């Protein structure tokens, strides 16, 4: 298994940016071949001080292996998501990849 976790900080000057990002991830990213598990959603507030709460959207994608992840990164739908949506509505991103 190969896990790809992405944390997004959306542009506060763009109302609805988080919803747009989530909808676009569902449309562009979920159908890409090689995905074993796909989950995208809004940050959930917590009273626990160890929980990061400054971001707006999280994405968790699990692939069967690193090769499937690498193919996902260059897939035309992923590239389109990055160019058409991510670059426009996000101010910051943090990625965690682990196997």
């Amino acid at each position: 298994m190969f896990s790809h976790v992405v944390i997004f900080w959306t542009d506060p000057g763009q109302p609805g940016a988080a919803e747009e990002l989530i909808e676009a991830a569902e449309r562009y990213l979920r159908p890409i071949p090689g995905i074993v598990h796909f989950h995208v959603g809004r940050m959930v507030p917590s009273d626990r001080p160890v929980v990061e709460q400054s971001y707006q959207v999280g994405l968790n994608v699990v692939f069967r292996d690193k090769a499937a992840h690498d193919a996902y990164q260059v897939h035309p739908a992923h590239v389109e998501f990055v160019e058409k949506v991510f670059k426009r509505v996000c101010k910051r991103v943090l990625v965690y990849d682990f196997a």
Side-chain angles (χ1 to χ4, degrees):
M1 301 302 258
F2 186 98
S3 292
H4 177 65
V5 177
V6 186
I7 305 301
F8 299 95
W9 285 263
T10 57
D11 182 351
Q14 294 192 47
E19 290 77 17
E20 182 179 355
L21 186 66
I22 291 167
E23 290 172 9
E26 290 282 356
R27 182 173 65 250
Y28 289 105
L29 305 179
R30 183 184 286 276
I32 296 175
I35 294 174
V36 174
H37 172 79
F38 181 94
H39 181 221
V40 63
R42 293 188 68 95
M43 184 275 301
V44 177
S46 174
D47 293 332
R48 296 173 53 221
V50 298
V51 177
E52 169 62 52
Q53 297 182 66
S54 67
Y55 71 101
Q56 290 72 48
V57 175
L59 172 69
N60 179 23
V61 184
V62 178
F63 301 92
R64 65 181 175 270
D65 54 26
K66 186 175 183 309
H69 164 265
D70 294 349
Y72 164 91
Q73 288 297 326
V74 297
H75 191 281
H78 182 267
V79 173
E80 189 172 1
F81 167 80
V82 170
E83 293 299 322
K84 288 188 173 178
V85 183
F86 166 75
K87 286 184 177 180
R88 184 172 47 77
V89 303
C90 290
K91 287 292 194 184
R92 179 180 172 210
V93 66
L94 187 59
V95 177
Y96 298 97
D97 287 340
F98 59 96

